[in-house]
Amino acid sequence: MDSVNTVRFAHPIERQFAEALTADGIPWLYEPRTFVLERDANGKPTEAITPDFYLPDQDVYVECTVQRVALLRRKRRKIEKLRKRYGVTIALFDSRDFDRFRERYGLAFSTTTPSQASRVSAPETPRPRLSGEVDAATVPSTP
């Protein structure tokens, strides 16, 4: 399994997600596989997707994004193409999901840029997370 201290994450939200998984004792792998979605006439990949995480105990891939909701269409299209082509489902966590985690469980997820960070604060009285609650959130957000 990967470790938060040895992985070079593409975005801070991915590190925060990995830290939450590790804190709950959930094993994870970071970007373990790239799925080719389209190839050109010569067989060269022209479109692919690399899910951010694989949770082997749950046998689920997870994609974390903080793109604006309006810009998620392309990512959702790739996820659907992956499901149809390989039978693989990816749980998509977008900025709304991370905001709900932060509000509901007092987690330190931040979907802001560093310049916005001073305006974001955690709830004053966070409710402790129950064991396994992260697993319940693997349902993708609705568009």
Side-chain angles (χ1 to χ4, degrees):
M1 295 304 105
D2 288 329
S3 164
V4 173
N5 297 324
T6 60
V7 171
R8 187 174 170 145
F9 295 96
H11 191 278
I13 199 74
E14 295 171 352
R15 173 179 283 281
Q16 293 169 332
F17 187 71
E19 288 169 347
L21 293 171
T22 300
D24 272 358
I26 299 171
W28 53 272
L29 296 169
Y30 183 70
E31 296 185 341
R33 180 173 177 193
T34 297
F35 295 90
V36 175
L37 301 174
E38 296 289 333
R39 294 181 185 274
D40 65 15
N42 297 321
K44 180 181 172 190
T46 59
E47 184 178 36
I49 185 168
T50 304
D52 295 323
F53 293 92
Y54 177 66
L55 310 181
D57 289 357
Q58 289 80 13
D59 190 28
V60 68
Y61 287 91
V62 177
E63 178 70 18
C64 302
T65 185
V66 291
Q67 288 180 319
R68 290 194 346 247
V69 175
L71 300 176
L72 288 174
R73 184 178 353 177
R74 182 170 182 244
K75 190 170 292 253
R76 289 184 191 282
R77 184 189 59 75
K78 281 180 143 184
I79 288 171
E80 181 60 18
K81 192 180 275 190
L82 174 70
R83 186 190 64 74
K84 287 179 179 176
R85 175 139 318 145
Y86 293 95
V88 172
T89 300
I90 297 178
L92 176 64
F93 284 81
D94 65 29
S95 59
R96 297 172 300 182
D97 296 311
F98 288 110
D99 288 342
R100 282 191 290 267
F101 271 132
R102 183 179 45 79
E103 292 165 7
R104 208 174 283 160
Y105 305 114
L107 299 177
F109 290 121
S110 174
T111 58
T112 61
T113 62
S115 63
Q116 298 169 317
S118 62
R119 294 180 282 182
V120 176
S121 60
E124 291 180 21
T125 56
R127 180 176 75 79
R129 270 189 303 169
L130 300 174
S131 177
E133 280 187 324
V134 169
D135 299 337
T138 59
V139 177
S141 295
T142 56

